[in-house]
Amino acid sequence: MNDPLLDGFDMDGEYVHWPRRLTIMTACALFLFATMGVTLIRLISALGMVIPALRSAQLSQVLSLLVTLGVMGVPVLVYNSRHPGVDATLRLRLPSTLAVAIAIALGVLGAPISSHLGTLWSTALQQMGARVELAQTAVPTNYITLIGAMFSMALVPAVCEELLFRGAILGAWERRGTKRAWVLSSVLFALIHGSLLGLPGQLLMGFAIGYLVINSDSILTGMIYHFVHNVTLILMSMVPQMQLDASLSGDIYHAIGGAAGVTLYVIRLLLMLGAFALLLVAASSEREKLGRPFERPGQLDREPLGWREITVLSAGIVTCLALLLINILTTLRIM
C-alpha cells in the first residue's frame, strides 16, 4: 500500500488503512471537557445577575476567551504534540489557493444566511405563541474594541472550535466512516453552543465547515471559514441598517414588515443558499479532480462502542442538552 499519508506513521492496531488517529474515547473525553468549560462560563454569567463584581462585560469576555483556549484548543494541540502522526488525521496541512478562496466566500455568505435563518426562526417561534426574547450583543464602537472583538469573538473560537470538532472529533470518529463522523461532529458543534435561536444557523455552519474541511483535506479551510463568518457578523452588527436587535425585541413579524417582509427574507435566503450550495459543489469538484474519495478509511471499525465511550459521550450530550434547555426557558422568558 503506497499511501504517502501513511509513511512514517504508527498504525492503529490492525487497521492499516488510515494513519494514526485519536481514539474515540479520547475524542469523547475532549468533548465532555469542553462542555464543562462552557457550563462554567454559563454559571459565571448567571452569578453575574446577583454578584455585581461578575457583571463586567470585559471580565466575561476574558473568561470566555481563556476557557475556549483551555478546554478546546490547547488540549488538542497537546495531544497532537505527544502523538506523532495524529496531525495527518487532524488535517493540519496547507489548503490549495482555490480552497482558501472558497472558504472566504462561504464565510462571507454564511453570516447573512445565519442572520436570516435566525430572524425567520424567531418569527416562527413567536407566531407559534412563544415569547421570544432576543439576547443583546455588544457592538464594537471603535477600532480598539473592533480588534478586540475580532480576536476574542472570531479568531480564537475559529481556531479552537475547529481543532476540537473538525480536528479531534471528526478525525477520531472517521474510523467509523467519514459521513458518520461528519454528521456527529456537526451536531455536537451545534449542541455545545446551547442556543435555541442560533440552532438552525449553527447546524448549517457545522455541516458546511465539515464538508469543506473533508473536501479540501485541510482544517485550515474550516478555520478560515469560521473566522470570516464571525468577522462578517461583527461587521454587520456595526451597520445601522443591519442592527436588528432593538427593533426585533417586540413583535418580530411586524417589525420586519409582516407577510411581505417575511417573503422578502425567504427570497433572499433562498438566493443566498443557492450561491452557498454552488460554492460547496466547487469544493467537492476540487476534491474529485485530485482523486480523493469522500470516505477516507478503506476499512471501517465496526466494533460496538464500549461502555466507557458511551458513558462519556452521553455525559457530554446530556450537559449540552441541559444548557440548551436552560437557554430555551430563558429565551422564551419562562425562567
Side-chain angles (χ1 to χ4, degrees), residues 30-40 192 315-317 319-320 323:
L30 287 171
F31 175 66
L32 176 59
F33 187 50
T35 64
M36 293 169 61
V38 173
T39 303
L40 175 62
I192 202 170
I317 292 175
T319 302
C320 288
L323 292 175

Side-chain angles (χ1 to χ4, degrees), residues 29 33 46 68 78-79 106 120 122-123 159 194 211 217 247 305-306 332:
F33 187 50
T68 301
V78 170
Y79 186 92
L106 283 170
L120 291 173
S122 301
T123 303
V159 173
Y211 190 76
D217 205 28
S247 62
L305 287 179
L332 302 184

Side-chain angles (χ1 to χ4, degrees), residues 95 99 211-219 221 283 286-287 292:
Y211 190 76
L212 179 63
V213 168
I214 293 168
N215 281 285
S216 66
D217 205 28
S218 171
I219 197 174
T221 56
E286 183 192 23
R287 172 185 57 77
R292 289 195 300 260

Side-chain angles (χ1 to χ4, degrees), residues 34 39 54 57 91 95 117 126 133-134 159-160 173 189 204 220 245 274 288 299:
T39 303
L54 296 177
R91 293 181 168 89
L117 278 174
Q126 276 197 345
E133 180 176 312
L134 299 179
V159 173
C160 295
W173 281 89
F189 170 77
L204 175 66
L220 293 179
D245 281 354
E288 292 168 357
Q299 178 181 349

Side-chain angles (χ1 to χ4, degrees), residues 47-97:
L47 290 175
M49 299 177 65
V50 294
I51 303 177
L54 296 177
R55 293 178 188 173
S56 169
Q58 291 78 9
L59 175 61
S60 177
Q61 194 173 45
V62 170
L63 289 175
S64 179
L65 180 66
L66 292 176
V67 169
T68 301
L69 283 167
V71 304
M72 293 188 185
V74 172
V76 177
L77 291 175
V78 170
Y79 186 92
N80 175 66
S81 68
R82 296 179 178 178
H83 298 79
V86 169
D87 56 337
T89 51
L90 292 179
R91 293 181 168 89
L92 292 174
R93 56 175 63 87
L94 293 176
S96 68
T97 303

Side-chain angles (χ1 to χ4, degrees), residues 218-236:
S218 171
I219 197 174
L220 293 179
T221 56
M223 293 177 180
I224 292 170
Y225 174 115
H226 201 148
F227 174 71
V228 173
H229 178 103
N230 289 354
V231 167
T232 304
L233 285 176
I234 292 171
L235 294 177
M236 286 171 59

Side-chain angles (χ1 to χ4, degrees), residues 26 32 41 46-47 74 86 160 171 175 222 229 242 254 270 281 316 325:
T26 300
L32 176 59
I41 290 298
L47 290 175
V74 172
V86 169
C160 295
R175 69 179 73 242
H229 178 103
M242 305 183 84
H254 290 96
L270 291 176
V281 169
L325 177 60

